[in-house]
Amino acid sequence: MAVDTVRAPVELTAPARRTRSWAGLWFALPFLLIYVVFMIWPILAGLWSSLFNTSLAGGDVEFLGLSNYAEMARDGAVWDSLWNTVWFTILSTPPLVLVGLGMALLAHRARRTGWLLRFSFFMPFLLPVTVVALIWLWIYQSDFGLLNAAVAWFGGDPVAWINDERTAMWAVVICTLWWTVGFNFLLYLAALQGIPRELHEAAAVDGATPAQRLWRITLPLLRRTTGLILVLQLIASLKIFDQVYLLNEGNAGPITRPLIQYVYEQGFTSYRIGYASAISYLLFLIIILVAFAQFKIFPAGRDD
Amino acid sequence: MRTRLPLSLLGVALALLWLVPLAWAIDTSIKPEGETTRVPVTWIPDVFTLDAYRGVFAAGDLPMWLFNSAIVAGGVTVLTLAAASLAAYGFSRLDFPGKNWLFALVLAGIMVPPQALIVPLFHQMQTLGLVDTYWGMILPQLAAPVMVFILKKFFDGIPREYEQAAELDGASRLRMFWSVVLPMSRPVLAAVGVFTFVTAWNNFLWPFIVVSDPDLMTVPVGLGTVQSSYGLRYAEIMASTVIGGLPLVVVYAFLQRHVIRGVGDAGLKG
C-alpha cells in the first residue's frame, strides 16, 4: 500500500514528460496537409512551370529553361508595372504611417469623443475593397462627383481624377489612405495604451509641457511600433492590386497598373501560366527581401 | 490644459471628415436617381426615397452574395481555428519526429505573399476540380501559418500543471486540449477568430479568381459587377455598397472593443 502511494504519481505523470511519439503529428496533420497542398505545393509548382511555356488553355508543354526570366528582363511592361507598385509604395507609406500616428494621438487623449474617433477612423478598414472602390469612383466622378463639386466651389475646373495621369496615382493613394489607415491607427493606439501613465504624470510634475512630453516620452517609446508598422505597411503596399483594378474597372492601362495586375493579365487573359509565374517570383523575391530587412533592422521582437 | 480644446476639435473634425465618404454614399442611396446627378450637389435630398434599396433587393443578387460571404467567411474562420489550434497544440506540447523542421517550415510561410501565388494556385484548383466551388474559395485561405504561430505562443505560456492535473484524472491528450487548454485560450481564440473573419469576409482577389459563377460570388466579388450592370444608376450602386458594407460596420459599432483587440492582437503578429 505504502509502495503504491509512492509510485503512483511517478507513473501517472510519466506521459506528461516529453516523450517522443507520433501523437503530436496527428495534431499537426490537418493543418500541415492544407499548408502543403495550398501553399508549399503552389510555390514549387509555380517555380517549375516558370521554366515551361505552360498555358491555362492547355496544349503541348515545352521546356524553356530560363527564357521566361530572360523575356521578363526585356519586357518593358514588367518594369513599368513594378515601378507603379514601387511608386505607389513610396507615395502611400508616409501618409499611412503619419496619419495613423496622428489619429492615435488624438483618439488616445479624447475623452467623451473617444468612441466617435475610434469608430470613424477604423470603420473604413472593415469595408470590402469593392465597396470602398465604388464609393470613391462616385466621389471622383468627373461630372457629378463630390470632389469636383468641392473643386468648383473653390472656383476650380473639374478634374478627371482617375483618368488624368497627373492625378491617377494620387486618387489611388487617397482612397487607400482612407480605407486602410485605420489598421495603423489601431496598432499605434494599442502601443499608446501600453505606455505607463506614471511616466507622463512624473514628467508633468517636473514641469514638462504637453509638447515636451510628446517629443521626449511618447514618440521615443513608439519607435519599435513604428518600425513594425513601417514593415507591415511596405509589404502591404507592395502587394497592391484590388483597389487599382476596381477603380479602373479592370482596364487600368499603363498609368497605374501594378505588378500583380500584370501577373493577373498574363495568367488569366493571355493564359501564360509559365510567364506569369516567373513575374510572380520577382515580387515574391522583393517581399522576402523586405521581410528579411526587418529582421536585420529590428532584431528579434522577443516581447511581441 | 490650454491645448485640450483645440486638439479635441481637431480630433472631431478629422473624425467627421473620415465619415464623409460613407455619409455621401448613404446620402446618395436615399435620393431618387434624377437627383443624384444634379449640379450643384445637394446634401439634403429634396425627395427622400428608398427606391434604390427596393431596386437592389428586387434584382436579388445581394442577399445571395451575403449568404455566400457568410458561408465562406464562417467556414474559413471555424476551420482555421480548428486546424491552427490543433497544430499549435501539437507543436507546443508534444514531441514528434521532424517537429522542429516542420515548425520551421510553418514559420517560413509567414513571409509568403499569397498574392504572388494566384497563378499556380489557380492551375492547381483546376487539377483538383475546385474551380467555382465553395471549397475552392475556402481551402487556400486556411493555409495561414501566422495563426499557428500566434496560438502556439499563447499555448506555450499556459502552465503545464493544469494538464498534469487532468492527466491524473485519466484525460487523453485530445481531452486535455479540448477541456483544459482551449477554455483558457478564449482571448487569443477570439482575436484570431475576429481577424480571420474580417480578412475572409473582405477578401477580394482569391474569390474573384477562383469563382466566375454569379451564384457563388461573395459580396466583394459580386459588387464588382454592379458598376457595369447598374450602369449610371448611382443611387442603386450606393445602396448596394451600403448593404454590402453594413454587416461588419454594425458589428463593429456594437462590439468595438472586441473587434479592436482581435484585429490588433492578431494583425500585429501577422
mmCIF file of all heavy atoms in Angstrom, chain A residues 224 228 294-295 298-304, chain B residues 149 153 269:
data_model
loop_
_atom_site.group_PDB
_atom_site.id
_atom_site.type_symbol
_atom_site.label_atom_id
_atom_site.label_comp_id
_atom_site.label_asym_id
_atom_site.label_seq_id
_atom_site.Cartn_x
_atom_site.Cartn_y
_atom_site.Cartn_z
ATOM 1 N N ARG A 224 9.632 51.328 -31.626
ATOM 2 C CA ARG A 224 9.503 49.922 -32.025
ATOM 3 C C ARG A 224 8.229 49.681 -32.826
ATOM 4 O O ARG A 224 8.243 49.007 -33.848
ATOM 5 C CB ARG A 224 9.472 49.033 -30.781
ATOM 6 C CG ARG A 224 10.824 48.558 -30.333
ATOM 7 C CD ARG A 224 10.648 47.568 -29.198
ATOM 8 N NE ARG A 224 9.954 46.369 -29.661
ATOM 9 C CZ ARG A 224 10.589 45.356 -30.231
ATOM 10 N NH1 ARG A 224 11.879 45.397 -30.398
ATOM 11 N NH2 ARG A 224 9.926 44.300 -30.638
ATOM 12 N N LEU A 228 7.693 48.366 -36.755
ATOM 13 C CA LEU A 228 6.820 47.253 -37.131
ATOM 14 C C LEU A 228 5.774 47.688 -38.155
ATOM 15 O O LEU A 228 5.566 47.031 -39.179
ATOM 16 C CB LEU A 228 6.138 46.718 -35.878
ATOM 17 C CG LEU A 228 5.301 45.481 -36.088
ATOM 18 C CD1 LEU A 228 6.212 44.287 -36.255
ATOM 19 C CD2 LEU A 228 4.348 45.280 -34.926
ATOM 20 N N GLN A 294 13.677 43.514 -42.270
ATOM 21 C CA GLN A 294 13.053 43.765 -40.970
ATOM 22 C C GLN A 294 13.844 43.090 -39.851
ATOM 23 O O GLN A 294 14.102 43.686 -38.812
ATOM 24 C CB GLN A 294 11.614 43.255 -40.986
ATOM 25 C CG GLN A 294 10.973 43.255 -39.621
ATOM 26 C CD GLN A 294 9.771 42.345 -39.552
ATOM 27 O OE1 GLN A 294 9.542 41.526 -40.427
ATOM 28 N NE2 GLN A 294 8.999 42.498 -38.505
ATOM 29 N N PHE A 295 14.241 41.829 -40.101
ATOM 30 C CA PHE A 295 14.979 41.111 -39.059
ATOM 31 C C PHE A 295 16.342 41.741 -38.816
ATOM 32 O O PHE A 295 16.867 41.709 -37.719
ATOM 33 C CB PHE A 295 15.145 39.639 -39.440
ATOM 34 C CG PHE A 295 13.849 38.897 -39.420
ATOM 35 C CD1 PHE A 295 13.405 38.229 -40.540
ATOM 36 C CD2 PHE A 295 13.066 38.883 -38.270
ATOM 37 C CE1 PHE A 295 12.196 37.557 -40.531
ATOM 38 C CE2 PHE A 295 11.860 38.208 -38.252
ATOM 39 C CZ PHE A 295 11.432 37.551 -39.392
ATOM 40 N N PHE A 298 15.301 45.477 -37.208
ATOM 41 C CA PHE A 298 14.640 45.358 -35.904
ATOM 42 C C PHE A 298 14.817 43.935 -35.413
ATOM 43 O O PHE A 298 13.927 43.109 -35.583
ATOM 44 C CB PHE A 298 13.155 45.682 -36.007
ATOM 45 C CG PHE A 298 12.884 46.969 -36.703
ATOM 46 C CD1 PHE A 298 12.489 46.971 -38.027
ATOM 47 C CD2 PHE A 298 13.029 48.172 -36.044
ATOM 48 C CE1 PHE A 298 12.246 48.155 -38.689
ATOM 49 C CE2 PHE A 298 12.794 49.356 -36.700
ATOM 50 C CZ PHE A 298 12.401 49.353 -38.031
ATOM 51 N N PRO A 299 15.950 43.622 -34.821
ATOM 52 C CA PRO A 299 16.234 42.222 -34.491
ATOM 53 C C PRO A 299 15.203 41.640 -33.524
ATOM 54 O O PRO A 299 14.660 42.347 -32.676
ATOM 55 C CB PRO A 299 17.622 42.267 -33.868
ATOM 56 C CG PRO A 299 17.911 43.692 -33.590
ATOM 57 C CD PRO A 299 16.982 44.521 -34.381
ATOM 58 N N ALA A 300 14.953 40.360 -33.712
ATOM 59 C CA ALA A 300 14.029 39.508 -32.971
ATOM 60 C C ALA A 300 13.172 40.200 -31.923
ATOM 61 O O ALA A 300 13.625 40.517 -30.842
ATOM 62 C CB ALA A 300 14.810 38.364 -32.319
ATOM 63 N N GLY A 301 11.914 40.413 -32.243
ATOM 64 C CA GLY A 301 10.985 41.026 -31.300
ATOM 65 C C GLY A 301 10.623 40.049 -30.218
ATOM 66 O O GLY A 301 9.616 39.383 -30.294
ATOM 67 N N ARG A 302 11.472 39.964 -29.188
ATOM 68 C CA ARG A 302 11.242 38.964 -28.153
ATOM 69 C C ARG A 302 9.950 39.196 -27.398
ATOM 70 O O ARG A 302 9.281 38.273 -27.009
ATOM 71 C CB ARG A 302 12.416 38.952 -27.172
ATOM 72 C CG ARG A 302 13.599 38.173 -27.670
ATOM 73 C CD ARG A 302 14.720 38.281 -26.666
ATOM 74 N NE ARG A 302 15.094 39.659 -26.408
ATOM 75 C CZ ARG A 302 15.963 40.322 -27.158
ATOM 76 N NH1 ARG A 302 16.535 39.747 -28.172
ATOM 77 N NH2 ARG A 302 16.258 41.576 -26.882
ATOM 78 N N ASP A 303 9.609 40.477 -27.154
ATOM 79 C CA ASP A 303 8.444 40.707 -26.298
ATOM 80 C C ASP A 303 7.179 41.029 -27.101
ATOM 81 O O ASP A 303 6.212 41.517 -26.559
ATOM 82 C CB ASP A 303 8.735 41.815 -25.276
ATOM 83 C CG ASP A 303 9.594 42.901 -25.846
ATOM 84 O OD1 ASP A 303 9.677 42.967 -27.088
ATOM 85 O OD2 ASP A 303 10.186 43.659 -25.100
ATOM 86 N N ASP A 304 7.196 40.787 -28.389
ATOM 87 C CA ASP A 304 5.956 40.976 -29.155
ATOM 88 C C ASP A 304 4.994 39.834 -28.883
ATOM 89 O O ASP A 304 5.180 38.767 -29.371
ATOM 90 C CB ASP A 304 6.262 41.039 -30.655
ATOM 91 C CG ASP A 304 6.751 42.418 -31.023
ATOM 92 O OD1 ASP A 304 6.642 43.312 -30.180
ATOM 93 O OD2 ASP A 304 7.269 42.576 -32.143
ATOM 94 N N PHE B 149 1.417 30.175 -35.402
ATOM 95 C CA PHE B 149 2.462 30.815 -34.617
ATOM 96 C C PHE B 149 1.877 31.560 -33.406
ATOM 97 O O PHE B 149 2.332 31.387 -32.272
ATOM 98 C CB PHE B 149 3.234 31.787 -35.522
ATOM 99 C CG PHE B 149 4.213 32.651 -34.814
ATOM 100 C CD1 PHE B 149 5.393 32.119 -34.306
ATOM 101 C CD2 PHE B 149 3.964 34.002 -34.645
ATOM 102 C CE1 PHE B 149 6.293 32.919 -33.653
ATOM 103 C CE2 PHE B 149 4.872 34.807 -33.979
ATOM 104 C CZ PHE B 149 6.036 34.264 -33.480
ATOM 105 N N LYS B 153 2.360 30.363 -29.455
ATOM 106 C CA LYS B 153 2.975 31.267 -28.491
ATOM 107 C C LYS B 153 2.115 31.396 -27.235
ATOM 108 O O LYS B 153 2.608 31.399 -26.116
ATOM 109 C CB LYS B 153 3.167 32.637 -29.132
ATOM 110 C CG LYS B 153 4.569 33.101 -28.946
ATOM 111 C CD LYS B 153 4.903 34.359 -29.640
ATOM 112 C CE LYS B 153 6.085 34.904 -28.874
ATOM 113 N NZ LYS B 153 6.585 36.143 -29.392
ATOM 114 N N LYS B 269 0.859 40.556 -35.223
ATOM 115 C CA LYS B 269 1.798 39.466 -35.464
ATOM 116 C C LYS B 269 1.718 38.956 -36.884
ATOM 117 O O LYS B 269 2.507 38.134 -37.290
ATOM 118 C CB LYS B 269 1.524 38.321 -34.474
ATOM 119 C CG LYS B 269 2.130 38.621 -33.123
ATOM 120 C CD LYS B 269 1.136 38.432 -32.012
ATOM 121 C CE LYS B 269 1.672 39.029 -30.722
ATOM 122 N NZ LYS B 269 0.634 39.192 -29.720
#
